[in-house]
Amino acid sequence: MNDGPGSSRGAGRAEPEQPEGQRPLDVHPAWLPPEAFRAIGSRRTRVLGDGPLVETVLSEVREACARYGGVARHGGVMGHGATGDEPDDLILVLSTVDAVRDFVPAGQPLGEEGFTLAARSGVTVVVADRPAGLLYGLFELVRLGEAAFRPERAPESHRPAMRRRMVDQWDNVDVHPVMGQVERGYAGGSLFWRDGKPRRDPDRLRAYGRLLAGCGVNAVSVNNVNVHATEAHLLTDRLAEVAEIADVLRPYHIRVHLSVSFASPITLGGLPTADPLDERVRAWWAGTTRQVYATIPDFGGYVVKADSEGQPGPFAYGRNHADGANLLAAALAPYGGVVHWRAFVYNHRQDWRDRSTDRARAAYDHFAPLDGQFHDNAILQVKYGPMDFQAREPVSPVIAAMPATRLAVEVQVTQEYTGQQRHVCYLGPQWSEVLGFRPWGPDGPAVRDVAASPGGAASPGRAHDGGGLVAVSNAGDDPFWTGHPLAQANLYAAGRLAWAPDLDPTAILDEWIELTFTPSSTGDPDLLRRSLHEVMDGSWRTYERYTAPLGVGFMVRPGHHYGPDVDGYEYTPWGTYHFADRDGIGVDRTVATGTGFAGQYPPPWSQLYESRQGCPDELLLFFHHVPYGHVLHSGSTVIQHIYDTHFAGVEEVRRARQVWERLAGAGLVDPAVDTRVRERLDEQLRCAEEWCDQLNAYFLRKSGVPDAHGRPIY
Ligand code: GCV
C-alpha cells in the first residue's frame, strides 16, 4: 500500500477541485487541511488592514474561498459588498476598533498578538490591534469552524499567556557521523539542510511555518544546540542561509533564533580566547551581532548550550554562567534580541563508583547561586525535570530557586525517551502536569505562571516577564511531518499549551482531531473521535507503565535510547543509575542519607520528597532506594507493582492496536495514514513486550520474588 502523505480525507465526501494555480504539497496537511477552512471559505469575508501579515491572512481566506465558493474582499466599507449589495458574513479587521464599535466595545488593549472575536446579527468579527493578532484570530476561526458563525457571540478576547512560544530544532547542517542530519530526530531529514547544504524547499518550509503559527508558535531556533564546526558558521559566513529561512517563516509571524557556540570568537574570529570578560571577545560578539541584525532585522536571538556534554563554555576561563549569558545578552540588547541560555549543565564524565555525585543536583548547584545576576534579555532555559526528558521526573528545582531570573521551560516533543515516534505517546498530559505544578506549594503560583508574561506571572519577587515555553521539535521532512502521524498531536499541543497553558490536554487533543481528520459522512460520526481518544489520551501513562518503573528513569539502550536495557547505563559515566541489587532499587536523594537533592526544593516539596511515606508513588525510586517489599500508597509492593504495570502496559498497547484496527476497518482513516500507524503500532507492541519481558525477568532474577499471579516471567 502507498505510504505517501495521503490527503487525510475521510471516505464518502466529494471535495471541490483544487483551485487553479495552487500546487499541492507532497506532505500531509496535518492540522490545517483545506477542509478545516470550509466554514470560512463558504462565506463573504472582508479583510481590513495592511501589511505583510494581513496579506498572509488574506491569502489564506482567498484560498479557502476559491475552494468553497465564498468571496474574499480586501478593504472597502464594512458591511457592504463591492457593489454595495452583498453584506459581509465575516470581517477580519486590524487596528480599527472604532469601525467595529457595535460589535466589540473598547476594552483592554489586545497587545502584539491578541484578538477579540464577536458576532452580531449574523456577522462575525475578529478585531486585533496588531497584524499578528489577526493571524491568530484567523486560526481561532478555523478551530471553531461553523461555531464561529453563530448569529450572536459575546465578545471574547484572547491573548497568549507566554510571549515567546518557541520550537528548537536540533538540525545539523552536515550529517553528523553519529547523530545524523537531525539529532534525536525521528521524522526523516531536516527541513532546512541536507548533506551540508541548504535544502531550499520554501514551499515545505512555509507549510511548516503555517502549521507552527496555526498552533501559536512564534519563534524557531533553526539549528542543533550541539554546535559542530560547520554549524558554527551559520553565525557569520553562512548567515545568508538563516536569513533565507527567516524570509520564509516571517509571513507567519515567526522569528528565527540561532544556536551558537560559545567558542565562536576563537573558531570564527581568530581570537586566542572566548573569555566573557575579555574586551576583545565582547567586541567580537558586538560586531558579529550587529552584522546579524543588519542581515536579519527581526532576528530573535541566540540559544546556547555551554559547558555541557562537550560544548565549550565560560568554565574554561574560571567564569560562571551568568558571565557567559550576559556577554551575549549585552551584544543582543541594542536590537531587542534575547539569549536563551540552557541550564542543562552537568558532568557527563562522572565516575559511577562515586555515590556522592548526583546529576540531578547539577543544574541547581550551578545556577541557583546566580539568581538575580542575569541581564533582562537573558532567559535561562530549564528542562522540565532535573535529569533529561524522562517519561517521569519531578519538576526541576531550578524553577523555584530563581525567582529573580527569566525562566523558560523546555519540553521534548521529539520522543527521544518516549518511544521515538514509533510508539504512540501523547505528551500533552505530561506537559500540562509540569505547567500546573506549584513549586512553592499549593498556595503559590504554578510553573505556567513563572513562564508567562506579566498578567500571568505572580511568583514571589518576580516583577519581570517570564521566559515562555521551548519545545524541541519532532518534525522533519517525513511526508507525515513527524514519522508517526499521531505524533503530530504533540507538536500541536506544545504550541497550544504555550499560548494557553491551562488548557485541558484532552480538549487540545479534541481540537487536533477535529482539525486533522475529516470523518466519513457514513457510519458512526463519533467513532473517530472516541477511538483516537482511546488510543491517545492515556498513552503517556501506558508508556510509563511498560518502561522504567516509579520514576527511576533510563534503562534504555545506550546511545540511541530506544528499547530496554536495564543495566545499559548502570556502569557508565553519564550519571543515570538505578542501583538495583538483590534487596531493592532506587536512588537515595534524601538529605538524611542520600545525595541531598530533595533539599533543593522549598517546602512542602522538600519534606514530601524526603519522606518515603510522603513521596508520591510515581517518583518513589527517583528519591529513595527501597526494598522490593516496600508497600506503595497503591497498596502494592514495589516488586508486584513492577510486574503488574509491565503486564498492564503491554495489554494497553494491544488494546490500542485493536481500537485502531476497528477505526481503520470502518473506513474512517486515510489508507496511507492507516498503513503508517499500523506499522508503528506493531512495532510498539513488539517493543512493549520486550520491555515487559526484560524488566520482569531482570527484577525476578534480582529479587527472587515471584509474581503473585503466577504469570510467565522468563
Ligand atoms: C542535543 C540529551 C540528548 C542529547 C541532547 C541533550 C541536550 O542528552 O541525548 O542528544 O543534545 O539532551 O538537551 O542538549
Side-chain angles (χ1 to χ4, degrees):
M1 208 181 279
N2 170 28
D3 197 20
S7 67
S8 105
R9 307 286 61 85
R13 179 186 286 166
E15 284 302 328
E17 293 289 302
Q18 182 79 13
E20 230 179 291
Q22 262 183 256
R23 191 172 71 77
L25 257 187
D26 191 22
V27 287
H28 189 270
W31 50 89
L32 291 179
E35 293 78 0
F37 288 71
R38 179 189 292 272
I40 296 171
S42 55
R43 291 191 155 78
R44 295 177 300 269
T45 298
R46 182 178 300 280
V47 180
L48 296 173
D50 293 300
L53 287 183
V54 177
E55 286 299 322
T56 303
V57 171
L58 190 61
S59 80
E60 290 281 350
V61 175
R62 281 195 174 131
E63 269 182 35
C65 289
R67 177 174 284 266
Y68 291 110
V71 179
R73 305 182 188 102
H74 185 205
V77 182
M78 278 183 48
H80 300 285
T83 56
D85 55 1
E86 284 177 293
D88 301 318
D89 302 315
L90 170 64
I91 301 164
L92 294 153
V93 59
L94 176 67
S95 297
T96 52
V97 178
D98 279 347
V100 282
R101 184 72 69 209
D102 285 353
F103 296 86
V104 183
Q108 293 283 320
L110 295 166
E112 178 71 22
E113 300 179 306
F115 60 91
T116 298
L117 171 68
R120 189 141 175 215
S121 311
V123 184
T124 296
V125 169
V126 173
V127 60
D129 289 346
R130 310 278 305 143
L134 212 58
L135 182 68
Y136 294 127
L138 172 74
F139 289 125
E140 180 66 12
L141 290 177
V142 173
R143 261 188 291 279
L144 289 169
E146 280 300 327
F149 297 96
R150 288 201 305 256
E152 302 293 326
R153 175 181 273 278
E156 87 200 20
S157 294
H158 298 251
R159 296 175 193 83
M162 302 189 195
R163 190 186 304 282
R164 201 165 287 94
R165 306 172 299 279
M166 184 156 165
V167 156
D168 276 8
Q169 306 289 146
W170 283 356
D171 297 24
N172 297 317
V173 174
D174 280 333
V175 178
H176 185 272
V178 179
M179 291 299 170
Q181 190 75 72
V182 180
E183 180 150 350
R184 311 303 180 188
Y186 312 105
S190 165
L191 293 161
F192 306 137
W193 291 281
R194 183 189 279 153
D195 293 331
K197 299 200 180 65
R199 274 187 70 121
R200 301 220 163 85
D201 188 350
D203 290 342
R204 190 188 287 246
L205 190 51
R206 187 176 157 93
Y208 184 48
R210 179 172 179 263
L211 288 176
L212 293 180
C215 64
V217 170
N218 66 359
V220 174
S221 175
V222 297
N223 62 314
N224 191 357
V225 289
N226 291 326
V227 184
H228 308 291
T230 306
E231 289 75 25
H233 287 264
L234 294 171
L235 177 61
T236 52
D237 47 304
R238 294 186 71 161
L239 183 62
E241 295 169 30
V242 183
E244 281 178 28
I245 297 169
D247 287 345
V248 178
L249 296 180
R250 190 171 294 113
Y252 281 98
H253 185 58
I254 291 171
R255 295 171 86 170
V256 300
H257 296 238
L258 189 66
S259 291
V260 296
S261 163
F262 193 76
S264 299
I266 302 173
T267 55
L268 302 172
L271 293 180
T273 178
D275 182 348
L277 301 192
D278 187 301
E279 273 316 314
R280 293 165 299 174
V281 171
R282 301 178 83 76
W284 186 86
W285 278 109
T288 301
T289 306
R290 188 180 322 118
Q291 208 40 53
V292 170
Y293 278 90
T295 313
I296 311 170
D298 59 352
F299 180 70
Y302 300 137
V303 178
V304 187
K305 171 176 177 176
D307 291 318
S308 177
E309 299 185 334
Q311 293 297 303
F315 285 164
Y317 310 97
R319 312 297 183 198
N320 66 35
H321 280 254
D323 296 328
N326 290 342
L327 164 73
L328 300 188
L332 289 157
Y335 315 97
V338 292
V339 57
H340 282 82
W341 191 269
R342 294 179 88 227
F344 182 62
V345 177
Y346 73 101
N347 174 11
H348 71 291
R349 298 214 173 90
Q350 189 181 324
D351 181 351
W352 60 267
R353 299 164 195 85
D354 167 17
R355 298 290 285 260
S356 67
T357 306
D358 179 5
R359 172 169 164 179
R361 290 189 58 112
Y364 179 104
D365 285 343
H366 287 303
F367 287 94
L370 304 178
D371 188 34
Q373 295 182 30
F374 290 88
H375 287 184
D376 282 352
N377 63 329
I379 294 172
L380 190 65
Q381 184 169 315
V382 185
K383 287 192 183 188
Y384 67 81
M387 293 296 277
D388 199 358
F389 298 136
Q390 299 303 288
R392 176 72 67 175
E393 293 185 39
V395 168
S396 170
V398 172
I399 294 173
M402 301 191 68
T405 305
R406 289 177 74 185
L407 298 180
V409 178
E410 185 178 335
V411 298
Q412 196 180 38
V413 188
T414 193
Q415 290 172 237
E416 176 180 0
Y417 291 104
T418 49
Q420 305 201 345
Q421 281 137 253
R422 289 184 245 183
H423 299 211
V424 184
C425 187
Y426 174 51
L427 290 164
Q430 184 198 42
W431 305 329
S432 178
E433 258 187 46
V434 168
L435 291 165
F437 178 76
R438 296 186 181 273
W440 292 273
D443 300 328
V447 170
R448 59 176 171 250
D449 302 314
V450 175
S453 298
S459 53
R462 182 177 294 277
H464 51 259
D465 199 6
L469 188 79
V470 178
V472 183
S473 175
N474 64 350
D477 71 0
D478 170 66
F480 294 97
W481 295 102
T482 52
H484 200 310
L486 303 186
Q488 290 175 2
N490 282 332
L491 190 57
Y492 182 81
R496 293 292 285 143
L497 284 170
W499 179 284
D502 48 2
L503 280 177
D504 171 6
T506 310
I508 295 177
L509 196 55
D510 240 17
E511 286 179 5
W512 175 78
I513 293 169
E514 181 79 16
L515 291 168
T516 306
F517 294 86
T518 308
S520 165
S521 55
T522 59
D524 178 354
D526 213 31
L527 181 61
L528 181 81
R529 181 188 301 271
R530 272 190 287 118
S531 305
L532 285 167
H533 276 293
E534 238 181 293
V535 170
M536 297 175 75
D537 279 349
S539 54
W540 163 50
R541 285 176 194 282
T542 294
Y543 186 84
E544 183 183 12
R545 281 185 192 109
Y546 62 77
T547 55
L550 297 164
V552 77
F554 294 91
M555 300 188 169
V556 289
R557 291 270 149 83
H560 58 65
H561 299 166
Y562 186 74
D565 188 344
V566 180
D567 282 339
Y569 272 113
E570 199 57 14
Y571 307 102
T572 71
W574 294 92
T576 53
Y577 315 119
H578 55 69
F579 301 120
D581 59 22
R582 65 181 183 179
D583 300 318
I585 175 175
V587 190
D588 185 352
R589 292 192 162 106
T590 62
V591 176
T593 53
T595 70
F597 169 77
Q600 292 186 338
Y601 291 85
W605 300 111
S606 49
Q607 292 132 354
L608 202 78
Y609 294 150
E610 178 77 12
S611 138
R612 253 190 212 189
Q613 302 318 319
C615 187
D617 283 352
E618 68 270 17
L619 289 172
L620 183 71
L621 302 184
F622 193 95
F623 285 100
H624 297 274
H625 186 89
V626 298
Y628 292 113
H630 175 87
V631 180
L632 299 166
H633 296 118
S634 68
S636 188
T637 59
V638 165
I639 189 70
Q640 193 56 43
H641 172 93
I642 293 176
Y643 299 147
D644 289 347
T645 50
H646 283 80
F647 285 120
V650 171
E651 275 321 301
E652 285 162 22
V653 176
R654 197 167 281 132
R655 168 87 189 127
R657 199 175 64 155
Q658 282 164 2
V659 171
W660 180 268
E661 276 167 12
R662 186 189 63 196
L663 171 66
L668 290 172
V669 219
D670 176 87
V673 174
D674 178 34
T675 304
R676 180 68 76 89
V677 172
R678 258 180 225 250
E679 166 239 304
R680 304 265 149 157
L681 280 168
D682 286 350
E683 166 55 19
Q684 181 173 4
L685 184 57
R686 183 208 65 76
C687 190
E689 282 172 346
E690 195 61 35
W691 269 100
C692 172
D693 291 345
Q694 285 202 25
L695 273 271
N696 285 348
Y698 180 96
F699 286 106
L700 175 63
R701 291 175 194 180
K702 277 269 177 205
S703 69
V705 180
D707 171 32
H709 307 296
R711 289 163 290 194
I713 295 180
Y714 301 94

